Structure formats: C-alpha cells, structure tokens
C-alpha cells in the first residue's frame, strides 16, 4: 500500500465547520511543526486537521484503514458541537447542553489528539505548521445588547431564545447574508418557529415578522420553494429579497440593509427582535493556502472529492467549493464517497464511486412540523421516503429533533453513517 499522508481542516468561528484532507502518494512522511511538544511524533500516515463532523467521521474511517497508531487529529477546541440542533435551542425546544460533548469523548479511541490550531498548509512540502472576512458593522459587540441573537454560535444561540421570550410588540427581523452560509435553510427556520411561538403566547397580532434575505428566492429547489411560499402567505410573513444586513445599531435597536439591486441604497428598520445570520467564509489559513481556489475554498473535483491540482489532497464539507448546500447531511454522504476514494488511491487504483451532491435540509416550520428537503447538485429532489416530502410532517420533526442527533453521535462520528442512499434504494425497490 502506498503511504498516504492526510490533513483535514476543522471548525472556525466564521465557518463553523470545515474539513480538508491533505496528503501525499510519495514515500516521504508528513512534517508536523508545533509550538510545543504536542504530538507523540512528528509524522503520521493520516493526519486529520480539524475535529468537526467531517474530521471526526473521516478519522474513524481512516483508523479502520491504517490503524489508530497511524492517525492523529489536530483540533484546538475542548468541546464538539452538533450544530443542527441549535435551530431548536434558539426557539427553546432543546437545551444547549444537548448540543455538545467533550472533544476527547468523540475522537476515535487510539487516535492521537493534537490540541493546536493550524496556521499554515504547505502541500508542496507535505508540511503543516501549528501554534498552540467580512463583518457586519456593530457586531459582534451588538450581541451584548438585548433583543438580538444568532443561532450560528454557541455564544449567541441562547440570546435568540431570550429575545424571543422578551418580545412584546414591533418588528421581528430575520436575516440572510450575501455570502455562502452553513445550512442555508436555518435563517428562515427560526422565523417559522418564532411565528409559532408568538401564536402560542398570544403575541402574534403584535408581531410584524420580516425576513430580509440577500438572495433572490426563498429556497433553491423549486419543489420546496413552492411549499414554503404557501406557508409564508398563510402565516402573513413579509419576505424582502436582495436585502443585505450591513449594520446593526444595537443601542437604538436599528438594523441597516443595503438593496443589492441598487448598490448604495440603504434602509433603516427598527426592531423588537433581531436574528442575525452572519457573513461566513473559509478560514484565513485556507484562503492563503495553495489548496484554495480564487474564492478561498478548497478546490476539489465535485465527484471524487480529490483536489484539482494536488492529486494527494482531498476535501470534504463546508470549506470545499462543492456546489451543494453546506450541511451535516452533505458531510455524511461525502464521507462515504471519500472513504472509498482514498481506499482505492491507497491501492494505486482510480476512484469509481461518484458524489452526486446529495444534501438535506430539514426545514423546521413549527414546533412539531418539518419539510424534509433532499436534493442533488442539479437542484433536483433526491428524496429518501416513499411520500411527498414537501408536505409538513410530524414524523419528520421527530426525525430532526431526536433521530438525527442519535445517528450523529452514535454512527456518523464513528464512521458508520454515509447518508441515507441505501434507505432510498430499499424504499424504491419496495415500491417497484
């Protein structure tokens, strides 16, 4: 077997989760430079850079390929978060404590944890170095004020729930930035949950609910967009397209938006509650790395997940330029493909299994309803179950709230969950 060195990039505040594998098919070993004696040795056959969902999943899979002694993971954080549940935390339906576990508890047994942050990637020399984007004006300091929160950070997700509880009367504003984001459905999920909460607490008639999005449509897949538009109309929600949040005046409870169709034209809206989806980007260590494309994302083949310029580099997850939604479901599907890709390359064979862009977005539309959106690179539905998933369903809510966290902690992070493709085949065979 040809020695393979791999590097995987992990979570960072502005990106929330990412995963990059960097390796070599040459006989040379990986150079690992740390600021202190953090690692048991300075080279590994597989080095995983980052302890996000993709990093932990692939570490588990690579352990089975090459043995635990040959795998290490670089990750500075003490806690590992299941971020998809933060939508429900922000709406008071789940506790924040249910969303995290100690990092040491999710790292595969026998795999070494190097607690450090990567500051440089050099694929030409098979080397990494460790140490021990755009922002909205008025943030993050604005989060110190009441009435404002964000489900995209462990530090601000509970502020969303507090703002929701403290709402009395006025505008409840929800935003979507002019950048790629993790889970593009999440910014509107909290809007639907907030509307349901206002109805439950008798405040709906006093709430003017506004969704200001920089996009030109409510959702990228027509089937689900049509279903969401019906909900928006039925619940009297105001949706404004091509509106980008550029400033928050938290002391005055004002949000400033720019009209993307008319650059320079701005609008100031007062708020009683504001949920911010922050602009996101790849980490700086990737932007300045040779593995990045012009936009700063890891440049990989969309079918094999192998780097376009470095045949010994592989990518998975949010930091790649894969043209699909950045979700945990996508990472699960990619992990199965990447496992097979790396296995064949280790044997000097050509990868055969191709990633179709599968991703999933459980669109939470209430405290007991979910539209389960599943689709591929072409924006075509790729549904698992033998019924119309564009309909709101209680069963899909339970799957989102309870089943998926179980699958995440007990199967995906252990490298045993590669997405629902086999279920889809099983159901479709049963219907034929």
């Amino acid at each position: 077997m040809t020695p393979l060195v791999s590097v995987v990039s992990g979570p960072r505040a502005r990106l929330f989760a990412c995963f990059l594998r960097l390796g070599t098919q040459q006989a040379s070993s990986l150079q690992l430079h740390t600021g202190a004696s953090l690692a048991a040795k300075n080279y590994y056959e597989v080095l995983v850079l980052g302890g996000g969902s993709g990093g932990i999943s692939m570490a588990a899979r690579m352990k089975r390929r090459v043995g635990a002694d040959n795998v290490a993971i670089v990750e500075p954080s003490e806690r590992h978060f299941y971020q998809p549940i933060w939508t429900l935390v922000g709406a008071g339906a789940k506790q924040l404590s249910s969303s995290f576990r100690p990092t040491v508890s999710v790292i595969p047994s026998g795999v070494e944890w190097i607690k450090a942050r990567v500051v440089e990637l050099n694929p030409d020399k098979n080397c990494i170095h460790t140490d021990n984007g755009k922002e909205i004006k008025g943030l993050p300091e604005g989060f110190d004020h009441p009435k404002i929160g964000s489900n995209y950070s462990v530090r601000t997700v509970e502020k969303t729930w507090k703002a929701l509880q403290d709402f009395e009367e006025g505008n409840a504003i929800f935003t979507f930035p002019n950048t790629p984001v993790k889970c593009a459905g999440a910014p509107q999920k909290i809007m639907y949950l907030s509307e349901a909460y206002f109805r439950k607490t008798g405040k709906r008639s006093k709430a003017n609910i506004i969704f200001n999005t920089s996009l030109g449509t409510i959702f990228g897949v027509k089937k689900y967009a049509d279903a969401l538009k019906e909900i928006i109309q039925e619940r009297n929600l105001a949706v404004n397209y091509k509106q980008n949040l550029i400033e928050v005046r938290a002391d005055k409870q004002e949000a400033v938006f720019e009209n993307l169709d008319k650059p320079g034209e701005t609008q100031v809206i007062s708020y009683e509650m504001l949920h911010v989806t922050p602009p996101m980007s790849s980490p700086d260590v990737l932007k300045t790395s040779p593995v990045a494309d012009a936009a700063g994302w890891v440049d990989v083949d969309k079918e094999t997940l192998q780097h376009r310029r470095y045949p010994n580099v592989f990518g998975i997850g949010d930091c790649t330029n894969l043209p699909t939604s950045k979700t945990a479901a996508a990472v699960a599907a990619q992990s199965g493909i990447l496992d097979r890709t790396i296995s064949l390359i280790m044997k000097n064979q050509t990868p055969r299994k191709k990633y179709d862009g599968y991703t999933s977005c459980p669109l939470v539309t209430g405290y007991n309803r979910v539209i389960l959106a599943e689709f591929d690179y072409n924006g075509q539905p790729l549904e698992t179950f033998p019924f119309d998933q564009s309909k709101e369903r209680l069963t899909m809510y339970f799957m989102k709230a309870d089943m998926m966290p179980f699958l995440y902690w007990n199967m995906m992070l252990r490298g045993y969950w590669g997405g629902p493709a086999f279920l889809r085949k099983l159901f479709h065979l049963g219907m034929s």
Side-chain angles (χ1 to χ4, degrees), residues 256-323:
V256 183
F257 294 89
E258 180 181 21
N259 185 342
L260 296 179
D261 285 334
K262 299 178 180 178
E265 180 180 294
T266 61
Q267 179 184 19
V268 180
I269 307 177
S270 61
Y271 63 83
E272 170 69 3
M273 173 186 175
L274 175 65
H275 178 270
V276 176
T277 300
M280 304 177 201
S281 73
S282 60
D284 290 340
V285 67
L286 288 184
K287 291 177 185 176
T288 58
S289 165
V291 303
D293 65 7
W297 306 98
V298 183
D299 192 15
V300 296
D301 181 279
K302 72 175 190 177
E303 293 182 336
T304 67
L305 310 185
Q306 188 172 25
H307 199 275
R308 293 181 183 276
R309 298 188 304 277
Y310 295 96
N312 55 338
V313 176
F314 307 87
I316 181 174
D318 296 351
C319 69
T320 67
N321 60 1
L322 294 171

Side-chain angles (χ1 to χ4, degrees), residues 202-274:
K203 298 177 181 179
R204 181 62 183 92
S205 62
K206 299 179 181 180
N208 180 32
I209 300 175
I210 302 170
F211 185 58
N212 273 11
T213 172
S214 64
L215 302 179
T217 183
I218 194 65
F219 199 76
V221 180
K222 185 179 185 302
K223 177 178 182 177
Y224 307 118
D226 290 344
L228 292 171
K229 288 176 183 176
E230 290 183 11
I231 293 173
I232 288 167
Q233 185 173 4
E234 290 171 359
R235 300 181 190 177
N236 192 28
L237 308 175
V239 178
N240 302 309
Y241 298 108
K242 296 293 185 175
Q243 298 294 313
N244 184 39
L245 180 66
I246 59 173
E247 182 180 357
V248 174
R249 302 167 183 168
D251 56 334
K252 299 179 181 179
Q253 291 181 214
E254 293 178 344
V256 183
F257 294 89
E258 180 181 21
N259 185 342
L260 296 179
D261 285 334
K262 299 178 180 178
E265 180 180 294
T266 61
Q267 179 184 19
V268 180
I269 307 177
S270 61
Y271 63 83
E272 170 69 3
M273 173 186 175
L274 175 65

Side-chain angles (χ1 to χ4, degrees), residues 73-108:
I73 186 163
V74 183
E75 169 56 46
S77 303
E78 291 277 4
R79 295 185 294 179
H80 179 98
F81 293 94
Y82 177 60
Q83 297 172 20
I85 208 68
W86 285 350
T87 289
L88 300 181
V89 173
K94 291 285 185 179
Q95 295 295 313
L96 181 61
S97 58
S98 70
S99 73
F100 65 84
R101 294 183 181 180
T103 297
V104 67
S105 72
V106 298
I107 291 178

